[in-house]
Amino acid sequence: DGGITQSPKYLFRKEGQNVTLSCEQNLNHDAMYWYRQDPGQGLRLIYYSQIVNDFQKGDIAEGYSVSREKKESFPLTVTSAQKNPTAFYLCASSIGSGGSNEKLFFGSGTQLSVL
Amino acid sequence: GNSVTQMEGPVTLSEEAFLTINCTYTATGYPSLFWYVQYPGEGLQLLLKATKADDKGSNKGFEATYRKETTSFHLEKGSVQVSDSAVYFCAHVASGGSYIPTFGRGTSLIVHP
């Protein structure tokens, strides 16, 4: 079955540590996104990538980094500079043809907590 | 700028009650409008969408009509079930530009038997 796989489902970070969240898709989508979800705040865009080897900052990129070396993979690193990393992280993808009517496909999320 | 405003939750209903979740937006041009649903511990999935004025999106008994004159896309269902308990997100994608979706804050729906 085609879809988006996020791993791990739960992740714990020690202070000062960098952690990487995995996101893989087999939908052959060009565009991929990372969102952060906090209770009562909806979804906030961290980074997005519309093509391999290119990515753009979203609204809350500080303290995060990404790479897009392969079409199917878009890992997110939460660095030690992110002082409040506890949140639910969602990865999404879309066809990326440039139309406004494209829907997003979401993974099942990673809950990151600080020890 | 582009934004989406949803009614605050939680919305608490008894089974078979009528549901309305309000959504209004601001956007340049003619955006496409979406409702996504998130069940506990999961990612979002598309519920319905509308791409031009007066279009009605529908799925699983839910409906929403694209009202350009009031810049609204309210979600409705005639008779909710316990299994509809979830968080509902309104979103738009503005025409032109980067086509990045803008989401509302989400509205939690709790349906009691």
Side-chain angles (χ1 to χ4, degrees), chain B residues 80-98:
Chain B
V80 294
Q81 305 300 313
V82 172
S83 57
D84 293 327
S85 298
V87 181
Y88 293 82
F89 290 89
C90 186
H92 75 49
V93 178
S95 56
S98 61

Side-chain angles (χ1 to χ4, degrees), chain A residues 53-103:
Chain A
N53 292 322
D54 188 40
F55 49 82
Q56 309 296 329
K57 291 182 179 180
D59 300 319
I60 56 163
E62 186 173 348
Y64 300 97
S65 65
V66 293
S67 63
R68 187 85 187 277
E69 297 175 1
K70 297 186 296 183
K71 187 175 186 178
E72 58 271 23
S73 179
F74 191 41
L76 173 74
T77 296
V78 184
T79 74
S80 57
Q82 173 49 246
K83 297 306 179 188
N84 184 23
T86 297
F88 191 56
Y89 290 85
L90 286 163
C91 180
S93 71
S94 67
I95 292 174
S97 61
S100 64
N101 61 352
E102 286 185 13
K103 71 176 188 178

Side-chain angles (χ1 to χ4, degrees), chain B residues 54-106:
Chain B
D54 300 324
D55 266 2
K56 177 184 283 187
S58 61
N59 186 25
K60 300 181 181 179
F62 291 90
E63 294 183 338
T65 300
Y66 189 142
R67 301 286 187 201
K68 183 169 174 287
E69 64 277 12
T70 55
T71 61
S72 65
F73 193 54
H74 305 322
L75 183 68
E76 296 181 335
K77 186 174 186 182
S79 176
V80 294
Q81 305 300 313
V82 172
S83 57
D84 293 327
S85 298
V87 181
Y88 293 82
F89 290 89
C90 186
H92 75 49
V93 178
S95 56
S98 61
Y99 300 108
I100 303 300
T102 299
F103 286 87
R105 291 192 168 195

Side-chain angles (χ1 to χ4, degrees), chain A residues 27-28 41 45 47 49-50 66 68 86 102 110:
Chain A
L27 299 167
N28 200 34
Q41 292 198 45
L45 183 65
Y47 270 97
S49 167
Q50 293 178 312
V66 293
R68 187 85 187 277
T86 297
E102 286 185 13
T110 294

Side-chain angles (χ1 to χ4, degrees), chain B residues 20-62:
Chain B
T20 300
I21 300 178
N22 291 337
C23 172
T24 57
Y25 66 89
T26 59
T28 54
Y30 300 95
S32 293
L33 304 174
F34 304 81
W35 277 101
Y36 287 84
V37 58
Q38 183 181 33
Y39 298 102
E42 298 182 8
L44 281 68
Q45 53 187 276
L46 180 69
L47 181 60
L48 53 84
K49 72 176 186 181
T51 58
K52 62 182 188 295
D54 300 324
D55 266 2
K56 177 184 283 187
S58 61
N59 186 25
K60 300 181 181 179
F62 291 90

